[in-house]
Amino acid sequence: GFSPRTWEIPAAPYNFMSSPPGRNPAWILLDFLTSPWGLGRFIKDSDLDLPSFRRWAAFCDRDPSTTSPWGEAAHMCDLVGDNPRPAWEWVLTICATGRATPIYRNGKIGVVYQYRDAHFDGGIAVPAKVPSQLITAGNCERVQVTWLPKSNRATSFLFQFLNEDAIYVQDVLPVEDHESTLNDPAAMRKDEYRPETIQAYGTTRASQIFRDGVFRHRVQRLVRRELTFVTGRWALAAEAGELILFEPELLRPCAADV
C-alpha cells in the first residue's frame, strides 16, 4: 500500500530511483504501524516509542565503515507485500533487515537493535554501547553456564534473496567464513564446510547480504558460552537489548595462619 505520510526526505536535488525515501527499515516499520493499510487502525502515534525508531533510523543510514567507506547506507529494506501474512510476521521481517527486534516497554511499542559503536546523523547521536549493570552471585541464583559446540556451526551461509542488480531475480549468495581455517592452506586442521540456508526476505543488495554474513560469522565465533540465571525484577536494572556484565563469586585463598 501507499502512505501519504513522509517520514524522511533527502535534500534536493536527488535521484529518486537511486535514493528513494522510504528504504530505511525504521521508517518503513513506523509507516506500517501507523498507516491504514497496516496497523494504523489499532495503533496511534502515542502508542509508539518514537525516539527508539529515530535512533534505529540513524543506525541504518550510517555508512557501514568509517575507515573504508562503502558509500551506501548500512541497512535498507525492499519488499513487496503481495501475499497475505500475519501482521506480526511483517513487523519481524522489516526488523530483520536492520538487525532489530520489536519490544513493548512502558506501555509503548519500540525497537532495540544490535550495535556496538557510536552512530549519529544530523539530528541525533547515539553513544557507543556500554554495560548497564553488573550481575553477581549476590543478586541472582541458579546460574548455569553452557559451552556451545563448534562442530555444528555453519562455515558458509547461503543467502536466498531477490537480487536488485539482476532485476530482482531469485539468487543465492554464499558467504563463507573467511576468518576461519576453512580455506587456509597452512592450517593443520581445517574447518569443515557446513552450509546453512538463510531466507533474506526484504534485502535485495548483495553488499548488504555480504555484510550480514560476515556479521553472523563473527557473532558465532565470539559467542562461546550461554549464561542463564534467575533473578527478581527488583534486581534487574538492564532492559532488553542492553549489555550487562557477569561476575561469578570466586573463592580466594586465605592467608596462612601465623
Side-chain angles (χ1 to χ4, degrees):
F2 170 77
S3 173
R5 302 184 66 170
T6 301
W7 298 97
E8 186 177 70
I9 303 176
Y14 64 91
N15 186 335
F16 185 84
M17 296 303 296
S18 61
S19 301
R23 297 184 74 181
N24 189 306
W27 302 147
I28 292 177
L29 179 57
L30 200 58
D31 197 47
F32 177 74
L33 293 174
T34 59
S35 297
W37 58 269
L39 296 175
R41 292 171 296 171
F42 315 101
I43 299 176
K44 305 181 295 295
D45 287 1
S46 58
D47 298 323
L48 300 171
D49 179 11
L50 295 176
S52 70
F53 288 90
R54 184 68 181 87
R55 293 189 294 269
W56 184 32
F59 171 76
C60 294
D61 273 342
R62 85 197 196 290
D63 193 284
S65 175
T66 56
T67 56
S68 301
W70 289 68
E72 63 181 28
H75 301 280
M76 289 184 179
C77 179
D78 299 276
L79 52 83
V80 177
D82 55 353
N83 290 320
R85 300 172 64 181
W88 194 245
E89 287 189 12
W90 287 115
V91 171
L92 296 178
T93 298
I94 298 171
C95 284
T97 62
R99 298 178 191 167
T101 186
I103 62 170
Y104 186 74
R105 179 171 54 192
N106 297 328
K108 293 181 179 293
I109 300 173
V111 290
V112 294
Y113 54 95
Q114 294 180 315
Y115 74 94
R116 182 191 63 181
D117 301 324
H119 46 281
F120 56 89
D121 60 16
I124 193 172
V126 180
K129 183 172 287 188
V130 295
S132 60
Q133 186 181 4
L134 173 65
I135 300 293
T136 67
N139 55 10
C140 71
E141 61 182 7
R142 284 185 274 172
V143 179
Q144 181 176 348
V145 180
T146 304
W147 290 85
L148 302 178
K150 297 182 179 179
S151 59
N152 59 356
R153 296 184 182 181
T155 55
S156 179
F157 292 117
L158 307 180
F159 289 92
Q160 296 183 352
F161 72 113
L162 300 179
N163 193 340
E164 68 175 48
D165 293 332
I167 319 180
Y168 299 97
V169 299
Q170 184 75 31
D171 202 354
V172 176
L173 179 64
V175 181
E176 295 182 349
D177 187 359
H178 297 290
E179 297 173 340
S180 68
T181 59
L182 178 64
N183 297 311
D184 186 359
M188 294 293 293
R189 186 178 180 181
K190 295 183 180 181
D191 289 321
E192 297 180 1
Y193 177 74
R194 293 184 293 271
E196 179 181 335
T197 301
I198 297 176
Q199 296 287 342
Y201 186 64
T203 302
T204 61
R205 298 180 300 164
S207 57
Q208 183 174 337
I209 291 289
F210 173 78
R211 292 192 298 268
D212 286 345
V214 173
F215 176 79
R216 287 172 179 262
H217 284 306
R218 290 177 174 174
V219 168
Q220 279 192 156
R221 189 177 300 105
L222 291 174
V223 179
R224 296 176 295 175
R225 298 181 296 272
E226 181 181 81
L227 174 68
T228 60
F229 57 87
V230 176
T231 186
R233 291 177 295 176
W234 57 88
L236 189 62
E239 297 183 344
E242 293 186 351
L243 180 66
I244 65 172
L245 297 177
F246 183 84
E247 182 177 90
E249 187 177 65
L250 301 177
L251 297 177
R252 300 181 180 180
C254 299
D257 293 336
V258 294

